[in-house]
């Protein structure tokens, strides 16, 4: 339901301000989700026998922490 224009406070619109801890948690969740999504893409490429494409994707996304070894997705050891 829409409010009458006189009841709208322009300064209270939008997202609520997040604490530093909330921002940190959201960022960590987003990065974890990106890593999981990346793993799924890499696993699918390997399943299809597209090892070169998987290696290329790994090299473009080093932050995921994976490598392709023997046609399988593995956690990269630093």
């Amino acid at each position: 339901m829409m409010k009458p224009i006189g009841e709208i406070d322009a300064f209270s619109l939008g997202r609520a301000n997040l604490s530093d801890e909330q921002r940190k948690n959201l960022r960590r969740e987003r990065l974890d989700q990106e890593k999981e999504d990346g793993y799924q893409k890499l696993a699918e490429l390997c399943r299809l026998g597209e090892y070169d494409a998987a290696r290329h994707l790994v090299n473009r996304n080093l932050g995921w922490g994976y490598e392709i070894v023997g046609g399988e997705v593995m956690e990269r050891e630093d």
Side-chain angles (χ1 to χ4, degrees):
M1 183 172 153
M2 296 183 64
K3 292 182 180 181
I5 192 92
E7 292 180 21
I8 297 175
D9 179 3
F11 297 107
S12 69
L13 297 176
R15 296 188 281 183
N17 290 331
L18 300 175
S19 70
D20 288 342
E21 187 66 26
Q22 288 171 316
R23 287 182 209 279
K24 184 177 165 184
N25 288 338
L26 285 173
R27 185 174 193 281
R28 184 174 45 245
E29 288 172 12
R30 183 180 53 81
L31 292 173
D32 288 346
Q33 186 62 52
E34 284 179 14
K35 183 176 179 178
E36 176 61 29
D37 292 346
Y39 177 86
Q40 295 300 326
K41 290 174 186 176
L42 293 168
E44 182 66 12
L45 286 170
C46 288
R47 187 185 71 76
L48 295 171
E50 296 289 341
Y51 308 118
D52 289 338
R55 282 188 202 95
H56 183 71
L57 189 57
V58 161
N59 290 334
R60 287 190 356 220
N61 296 282
L62 297 175
W64 291 347
Y66 298 119
E67 62 184 335
I68 307 302
V69 178
E72 294 188 24
V73 182
M74 308 289 281
E75 288 277 342
R76 188 175 60 233
E77 295 181 23
D78 294 327

